[in-house]
Amino acid sequence: MGKKRQVGRTYRSVAVAIACGAALAALTAVPAQARDTAHRAPHWELKDSGAADVRFRGLSAVSRNTAWVAGTAGTVLRTTDGGASWRNVSPPGVTDLQFRDIEAFDARRAVVLAIGEGEASRVYRTDDAGATWTESFRNADASAFYDCMTFFDSRHGLAMSDPVDGKFRILSTGDGGRSWKVLPNAGMPAALDGEAGFAASGQCLVSSGPRDVWLATGGGARARVLHSADRGLTWTATDT
């Protein structure tokens, strides 16, 4: 009987030791976890892009490592190491253009929009990380001024111009920006006097999901937001 009681006490001692060890591990893990979380707290680091005298306006991040930026003097930069370094991948011969919006799909494919009156409004596309670019649209209407663009997916996208003949003009692509067509304006409400989009950063036109798109305006008697649920064919306008 004495031997049995001794064995029982031994098992209980081992069980208590295991339980205490588990509790201690749980307690000591909390400060370590907190320290690890604090170590990963969000912060900013200033990086030199290497592009002097350029004002960046367009930004498109496709992953934690890859992002594209676009700006004045026809400049496009690309990073694949999370912003630690940037490479100039600008289209050749376009230093007179002002890029305001860039929409990237991955590390190799991106579409960039230049703003301005008449032929200054253009779209370029690259499929090889900026090694080569193709001009896929050049505005031939002197009264049009394209401000921004958005993509629903890697194929379908829209670009927007300030009002032409009293209505905002919408471009559409179904092949990833390789070609564009002007959509009919029958479903677009009349623009207010002086109403326009703003091409400061390419964000006046944004999409969500496969069909919804919003257009923010200003300059008129009232600022408005226009919404389309059919990829830009018909729109409703709401005063803000």
Side-chain angles (χ1 to χ4, degrees), residues 43-78:
H43 64 284
W44 293 88
E45 295 180 15
L46 184 62
K47 300 294 184 180
D48 185 2
S49 68
D53 301 323
V54 174
R55 297 186 299 278
F56 294 122
R57 301 298 183 93
L59 170 65
S60 182
V62 296
S63 71
R64 66 182 305 162
N65 294 318
T66 300
W68 303 65
V69 294
T72 59
T75 305
V76 177
L77 304 185
R78 171 179 165 272

mmCIF file of all heavy atoms in Angstrom, residues 43-78:
data_model
loop_
_atom_site.group_PDB
_atom_site.id
_atom_site.type_symbol
_atom_site.label_atom_id
_atom_site.label_comp_id
_atom_site.label_asym_id
_atom_site.label_seq_id
_atom_site.Cartn_x
_atom_site.Cartn_y
_atom_site.Cartn_z
ATOM 1 N N HIS A 43 5.078 52.122 -39.409
ATOM 2 C CA HIS A 43 5.970 53.271 -39.388
ATOM 3 C C HIS A 43 6.309 53.638 -40.833
ATOM 4 O O HIS A 43 6.015 52.895 -41.760
ATOM 5 C CB HIS A 43 7.253 52.971 -38.602
ATOM 6 C CG HIS A 43 8.097 51.890 -39.213
ATOM 7 N ND1 HIS A 43 7.772 50.546 -39.121
ATOM 8 C CD2 HIS A 43 9.233 51.959 -39.960
ATOM 9 C CE1 HIS A 43 8.694 49.837 -39.772
ATOM 10 N NE2 HIS A 43 9.571 50.665 -40.290
ATOM 11 N N TRP A 44 6.886 54.798 -41.014
ATOM 12 C CA TRP A 44 7.223 55.309 -42.342
ATOM 13 C C TRP A 44 8.726 55.528 -42.441
ATOM 14 O O TRP A 44 9.366 55.918 -41.470
ATOM 15 C CB TRP A 44 6.515 56.643 -42.612
ATOM 16 C CG TRP A 44 5.021 56.507 -42.721
ATOM 17 C CD1 TRP A 44 4.120 56.567 -41.708
ATOM 18 C CD2 TRP A 44 4.260 56.290 -43.916
ATOM 19 N NE1 TRP A 44 2.840 56.399 -42.177
ATOM 20 C CE2 TRP A 44 2.901 56.237 -43.526
ATOM 21 C CE3 TRP A 44 4.590 56.152 -45.255
ATOM 22 C CZ2 TRP A 44 1.873 56.028 -44.442
ATOM 23 C CZ3 TRP A 44 3.558 55.953 -46.162
ATOM 24 C CH2 TRP A 44 2.225 55.894 -45.758
ATOM 25 N N GLU A 45 9.258 55.247 -43.620
ATOM 26 C CA GLU A 45 10.663 55.509 -43.902
ATOM 27 C C GLU A 45 10.751 56.307 -45.199
ATOM 28 O O GLU A 45 10.116 55.957 -46.191
ATOM 29 C CB GLU A 45 11.460 54.213 -44.052
ATOM 30 C CG GLU A 45 11.549 53.386 -42.784
ATOM 31 C CD GLU A 45 12.354 52.125 -42.998
ATOM 32 O OE1 GLU A 45 13.066 52.050 -44.029
ATOM 33 O OE2 GLU A 45 12.263 51.215 -42.158
ATOM 34 N N LEU A 46 11.512 57.381 -45.186
ATOM 35 C CA LEU A 46 11.688 58.205 -46.375
ATOM 36 C C LEU A 46 12.679 57.537 -47.320
ATOM 37 O O LEU A 46 13.797 57.200 -46.927
ATOM 38 C CB LEU A 46 12.194 59.596 -45.981
ATOM 39 C CG LEU A 46 12.339 60.612 -47.122
ATOM 40 C CD1 LEU A 46 10.993 60.891 -47.762
ATOM 41 C CD2 LEU A 46 12.959 61.898 -46.605
ATOM 42 N N LYS A 47 12.271 57.327 -48.575
ATOM 43 C CA LYS A 47 13.115 56.693 -49.582
ATOM 44 C C LYS A 47 13.352 57.659 -50.738
ATOM 45 O O LYS A 47 12.435 58.356 -51.163
ATOM 46 C CB LYS A 47 12.453 55.416 -50.118
ATOM 47 C CG LYS A 47 12.182 54.363 -49.061
ATOM 48 C CD LYS A 47 13.456 53.801 -48.471
ATOM 49 C CE LYS A 47 13.153 52.686 -47.481
ATOM 50 N NZ LYS A 47 14.375 52.118 -46.901
ATOM 51 N N ASP A 48 14.544 57.688 -51.237
ATOM 52 C CA ASP A 48 14.884 58.544 -52.372
ATOM 53 C C ASP A 48 14.511 57.814 -53.657
ATOM 54 O O ASP A 48 15.011 56.732 -53.939
ATOM 55 C CB ASP A 48 16.378 58.859 -52.364
ATOM 56 C CG ASP A 48 16.765 59.845 -53.456
ATOM 57 O OD1 ASP A 48 15.868 60.303 -54.184
ATOM 58 O OD2 ASP A 48 17.969 60.156 -53.566
ATOM 59 N N SER A 49 13.614 58.432 -54.430
ATOM 60 C CA SER A 49 13.170 57.800 -55.674
ATOM 61 C C SER A 49 14.193 57.964 -56.792
ATOM 62 O O SER A 49 14.135 57.249 -57.791
ATOM 63 C CB SER A 49 11.837 58.402 -56.119
ATOM 64 O OG SER A 49 12.013 59.758 -56.509
ATOM 65 N N GLY A 50 15.079 58.927 -56.646
ATOM 66 C CA GLY A 50 16.058 59.186 -57.694
ATOM 67 C C GLY A 50 15.531 60.048 -58.818
ATOM 68 O O GLY A 50 16.257 60.333 -59.773
ATOM 69 N N ALA A 51 14.278 60.484 -58.730
ATOM 70 C CA ALA A 51 13.674 61.325 -59.774
ATOM 71 C C ALA A 51 13.619 62.765 -59.278
ATOM 72 O O ALA A 51 12.769 63.119 -58.465
ATOM 73 C CB ALA A 51 12.287 60.822 -60.123
ATOM 74 N N ALA A 52 14.526 63.576 -59.748
ATOM 75 C CA ALA A 52 14.593 64.973 -59.317
ATOM 76 C C ALA A 52 13.562 65.819 -60.054
ATOM 77 O O ALA A 52 13.247 65.576 -61.222
ATOM 78 C CB ALA A 52 15.997 65.522 -59.570
ATOM 79 N N ASP A 53 13.016 66.805 -59.342
ATOM 80 C CA ASP A 53 12.098 67.785 -59.943
ATOM 81 C C ASP A 53 10.852 67.139 -60.554
ATOM 82 O O ASP A 53 10.312 67.626 -61.536
ATOM 83 C CB ASP A 53 12.819 68.628 -61.007
ATOM 84 C CG ASP A 53 14.007 69.373 -60.433
ATOM 85 O OD1 ASP A 53 13.916 69.834 -59.281
ATOM 86 O OD2 ASP A 53 15.030 69.473 -61.134
ATOM 87 N N VAL A 54 10.412 66.038 -59.982
ATOM 88 C CA VAL A 54 9.192 65.368 -60.446
ATOM 89 C C VAL A 54 8.158 65.404 -59.332
ATOM 90 O O VAL A 54 8.477 65.181 -58.167
ATOM 91 C CB VAL A 54 9.473 63.900 -60.843
ATOM 92 C CG1 VAL A 54 8.170 63.176 -61.191
ATOM 93 C CG2 VAL A 54 10.421 63.846 -62.027
ATOM 94 N N ARG A 55 6.914 65.716 -59.697
ATOM 95 C CA ARG A 55 5.804 65.685 -58.737
ATOM 96 C C ARG A 55 4.961 64.443 -59.029
ATOM 97 O O ARG A 55 4.347 64.333 -60.083
ATOM 98 C CB ARG A 55 4.957 66.952 -58.850
ATOM 99 C CG ARG A 55 5.732 68.218 -58.514
ATOM 100 C CD ARG A 55 4.830 69.445 -58.504
ATOM 101 N NE ARG A 55 4.205 69.691 -59.793
ATOM 102 C CZ ARG A 55 4.808 70.323 -60.809
ATOM 103 N NH1 ARG A 55 6.041 70.758 -60.676
ATOM 104 N NH2 ARG A 55 4.157 70.525 -61.944
ATOM 105 N N PHE A 56 4.964 63.534 -58.086
ATOM 106 C CA PHE A 56 4.215 62.292 -58.277
ATOM 107 C C PHE A 56 2.740 62.514 -57.966
ATOM 108 O O PHE A 56 2.394 63.128 -56.963
ATOM 109 C CB PHE A 56 4.775 61.180 -57.390
ATOM 110 C CG PHE A 56 6.164 60.760 -57.764
ATOM 111 C CD1 PHE A 56 7.195 60.837 -56.849
ATOM 112 C CD2 PHE A 56 6.435 60.287 -59.034
ATOM 113 C CE1 PHE A 56 8.476 60.465 -57.193
ATOM 114 C CE2 PHE A 56 7.711 59.904 -59.393
ATOM 115 C CZ PHE A 56 8.741 59.989 -58.465
ATOM 116 N N ARG A 57 1.867 61.980 -58.820
ATOM 117 C CA ARG A 57 0.420 62.141 -58.657
ATOM 118 C C ARG A 57 -0.310 60.801 -58.644
ATOM 119 O O ARG A 57 -1.331 60.670 -57.987
ATOM 120 C CB ARG A 57 -0.146 63.011 -59.783
ATOM 121 C CG ARG A 57 0.461 64.412 -59.858
ATOM 122 C CD ARG A 57 0.193 65.211 -58.595
ATOM 123 N NE ARG A 57 0.707 66.563 -58.687
ATOM 124 C CZ ARG A 57 0.009 67.610 -59.086
ATOM 125 N NH1 ARG A 57 -1.255 67.444 -59.450
ATOM 126 N NH2 ARG A 57 0.544 68.806 -59.136
ATOM 127 N N GLY A 58 0.155 59.818 -59.381
ATOM 128 C CA GLY A 58 -0.520 58.525 -59.459
ATOM 129 C C GLY A 58 0.251 57.463 -58.697
ATOM 130 O O GLY A 58 1.485 57.437 -58.721
ATOM 131 N N LEU A 59 -0.476 56.570 -58.016
ATOM 132 C CA LEU A 59 0.142 55.495 -57.238
ATOM 133 C C LEU A 59 -0.722 54.254 -57.332
ATOM 134 O O LEU A 59 -1.940 54.320 -57.159
ATOM 135 C CB LEU A 59 0.286 55.917 -55.776
ATOM 136 C CG LEU A 59 0.695 54.836 -54.772
ATOM 137 C CD1 LEU A 59 2.100 54.325 -55.067
ATOM 138 C CD2 LEU A 59 0.622 55.389 -53.353
ATOM 139 N N SER A 60 -0.098 53.107 -57.611
ATOM 140 C CA SER A 60 -0.815 51.842 -57.661
ATOM 141 C C SER A 60 0.057 50.759 -57.055
ATOM 142 O O SER A 60 1.121 50.439 -57.585
ATOM 143 C CB SER A 60 -1.179 51.483 -59.107
ATOM 144 O OG SER A 60 -1.923 50.278 -59.164
ATOM 145 N N ALA A 61 -0.380 50.211 -55.930
ATOM 146 C CA ALA A 61 0.330 49.114 -55.269
ATOM 147 C C ALA A 61 -0.395 47.812 -55.556
ATOM 148 O O ALA A 61 -1.603 47.715 -55.349
ATOM 149 C CB ALA A 61 0.408 49.360 -53.771
ATOM 150 N N VAL A 62 0.321 46.801 -56.026
ATOM 151 C CA VAL A 62 -0.303 45.529 -56.366
ATOM 152 C C VAL A 62 0.049 44.426 -55.378
ATOM 153 O O VAL A 62 -0.566 43.361 -55.385
ATOM 154 C CB VAL A 62 0.079 45.095 -57.796
ATOM 155 C CG1 VAL A 62 -0.475 46.086 -58.808
ATOM 156 C CG2 VAL A 62 1.585 44.981 -57.950
ATOM 157 N N SER A 63 1.031 44.654 -54.527
ATOM 158 C CA SER A 63 1.395 43.703 -53.480
ATOM 159 C C SER A 63 2.242 44.448 -52.467
ATOM 160 O O SER A 63 2.531 45.638 -52.636
ATOM 161 C CB SER A 63 2.177 42.511 -54.058
ATOM 162 O OG SER A 63 3.482 42.908 -54.459
ATOM 163 N N ARG A 64 2.676 43.760 -51.418
ATOM 164 C CA ARG A 64 3.513 44.419 -50.429
ATOM 165 C C ARG A 64 4.909 44.716 -50.981
ATOM 166 O O ARG A 64 5.660 45.489 -50.396
ATOM 167 C CB ARG A 64 3.624 43.568 -49.162
ATOM 168 C CG ARG A 64 4.361 42.250 -49.329
ATOM 169 C CD ARG A 64 4.372 41.477 -48.013
ATOM 170 N NE ARG A 64 4.929 42.284 -46.939
ATOM 171 C CZ ARG A 64 4.766 42.022 -45.646
ATOM 172 N NH1 ARG A 64 4.025 40.995 -45.281
ATOM 173 N NH2 ARG A 64 5.331 42.781 -44.734
ATOM 174 N N ASN A 65 5.242 44.119 -52.114
ATOM 175 C CA ASN A 65 6.562 44.334 -52.709
ATOM 176 C C ASN A 65 6.535 45.226 -53.938
ATOM 177 O O ASN A 65 7.496 45.947 -54.200
ATOM 178 C CB ASN A 65 7.203 42.987 -53.083
ATOM 179 C CG ASN A 65 7.516 42.129 -51.886
ATOM 180 O OD1 ASN A 65 7.994 42.623 -50.871
ATOM 181 N ND2 ASN A 65 7.240 40.837 -51.985
ATOM 182 N N THR A 66 5.458 45.173 -54.716
ATOM 183 C CA THR A 66 5.424 45.836 -56.020
ATOM 184 C C THR A 66 4.460 47.004 -56.029
ATOM 185 O O THR A 66 3.300 46.867 -55.636
ATOM 186 C CB THR A 66 5.030 44.839 -57.123
ATOM 187 O OG1 THR A 66 5.979 43.769 -57.159
ATOM 188 C CG2 THR A 66 4.996 45.526 -58.477
ATOM 189 N N ALA A 67 4.927 48.153 -56.498
ATOM 190 C CA ALA A 67 4.093 49.339 -56.660
ATOM 191 C C ALA A 67 4.635 50.174 -57.809
ATOM 192 O O ALA A 67 5.818 50.096 -58.154
ATOM 193 C CB ALA A 67 4.055 50.160 -55.367
ATOM 194 N N TRP A 68 3.755 50.977 -58.399
ATOM 195 C CA TRP A 68 4.092 51.869 -59.497
ATOM 196 C C TRP A 68 3.672 53.284 -59.116
ATOM 197 O O TRP A 68 2.640 53.480 -58.471
ATOM 198 C CB TRP A 68 3.358 51.477 -60.770
ATOM 199 C CG TRP A 68 3.568 50.066 -61.259
ATOM 200 C CD1 TRP A 68 3.190 48.915 -60.639
ATOM 201 C CD2 TRP A 68 4.163 49.664 -62.507
ATOM 202 N NE1 TRP A 68 3.503 47.825 -61.399
ATOM 203 C CE2 TRP A 68 4.104 48.248 -62.554
ATOM 204 C CE3 TRP A 68 4.721 50.363 -63.576
ATOM 205 C CZ2 TRP A 68 4.593 47.529 -63.638
ATOM 206 C CZ3 TRP A 68 5.199 49.642 -64.654
ATOM 207 C CH2 TRP A 68 5.150 48.241 -64.682
ATOM 208 N N VAL A 69 4.453 54.282 -59.520
ATOM 209 C CA VAL A 69 4.061 55.679 -59.343
ATOM 210 C C VAL A 69 4.247 56.403 -60.675
ATOM 211 O O VAL A 69 5.067 56.008 -61.512
ATOM 212 C CB VAL A 69 4.889 56.398 -58.254
ATOM 213 C CG1 VAL A 69 4.608 55.810 -56.891
ATOM 214 C CG2 VAL A 69 6.373 56.362 -58.572
ATOM 215 N N ALA A 70 3.456 57.470 -60.874
ATOM 216 C CA ALA A 70 3.528 58.255 -62.100
ATOM 217 C C ALA A 70 3.399 59.726 -61.750
ATOM 218 O O ALA A 70 2.787 60.081 -60.741
ATOM 219 C CB ALA A 70 2.416 57.844 -63.070
ATOM 220 N N GLY A 71 3.981 60.581 -62.594
ATOM 221 C CA GLY A 71 3.936 62.000 -62.283
ATOM 222 C C GLY A 71 4.287 62.879 -63.461
ATOM 223 O O GLY A 71 4.100 62.513 -64.627
ATOM 224 N N THR A 72 4.801 64.043 -63.148
ATOM 225 C CA THR A 72 5.105 65.034 -64.168
ATOM 226 C C THR A 72 6.296 64.597 -65.014
ATOM 227 O O THR A 72 6.999 63.638 -64.687
ATOM 228 C CB THR A 72 5.397 66.387 -63.506
ATOM 229 O OG1 THR A 72 6.505 66.233 -62.596
ATOM 230 C CG2 THR A 72 4.183 66.884 -62.726
ATOM 231 N N ALA A 73 6.492 65.330 -66.106
ATOM 232 C CA ALA A 73 7.595 65.060 -67.038
ATOM 233 C C ALA A 73 7.556 63.639 -67.574
ATOM 234 O O ALA A 73 8.602 63.038 -67.839
ATOM 235 C CB ALA A 73 8.941 65.345 -66.379
ATOM 236 N N GLY A 74 6.348 63.077 -67.718
ATOM 237 C CA GLY A 74 6.203 61.741 -68.293
ATOM 238 C C GLY A 74 6.889 60.650 -67.509
ATOM 239 O O GLY A 74 7.388 59.681 -68.091
ATOM 240 N N THR A 75 6.902 60.773 -66.182
ATOM 241 C CA THR A 75 7.693 59.878 -65.342
ATOM 242 C C THR A 75 6.872 58.729 -64.784
ATOM 243 O O THR A 75 5.778 58.918 -64.258
ATOM 244 C CB THR A 75 8.313 60.658 -64.170
ATOM 245 O OG1 THR A 75 9.072 61.753 -64.684
ATOM 246 C CG2 THR A 75 9.216 59.761 -63.339
ATOM 247 N N VAL A 76 7.417 57.518 -64.891
ATOM 248 C CA VAL A 76 6.860 56.326 -64.249
ATOM 249 C C VAL A 76 7.995 55.603 -63.543
ATOM 250 O O VAL A 76 9.038 55.323 -64.137
ATOM 251 C CB VAL A 76 6.196 55.372 -65.266
ATOM 252 C CG1 VAL A 76 5.687 54.114 -64.558
ATOM 253 C CG2 VAL A 76 5.061 56.061 -65.995
ATOM 254 N N LEU A 77 7.791 55.306 -62.255
ATOM 255 C CA LEU A 77 8.760 54.532 -61.477
ATOM 256 C C LEU A 77 8.100 53.257 -60.983
ATOM 257 O O LEU A 77 6.878 53.187 -60.817
ATOM 258 C CB LEU A 77 9.281 55.323 -60.276
ATOM 259 C CG LEU A 77 9.931 56.683 -60.527
ATOM 260 C CD1 LEU A 77 10.480 57.248 -59.217
ATOM 261 C CD2 LEU A 77 11.023 56.596 -61.576
ATOM 262 N N ARG A 78 8.935 52.257 -60.696
ATOM 263 C CA ARG A 78 8.429 50.955 -60.247
ATOM 264 C C ARG A 78 9.359 50.386 -59.178
ATOM 265 O O ARG A 78 10.581 50.495 -59.280
ATOM 266 C CB ARG A 78 8.353 50.017 -61.447
ATOM 267 C CG ARG A 78 8.059 48.543 -61.176
ATOM 268 C CD ARG A 78 7.996 47.814 -62.505
ATOM 269 N NE ARG A 78 8.072 46.366 -62.379
ATOM 270 C CZ ARG A 78 9.203 45.671 -62.362
ATOM 271 N NH1 ARG A 78 10.364 46.288 -62.482
ATOM 272 N NH2 ARG A 78 9.167 44.354 -62.257
#
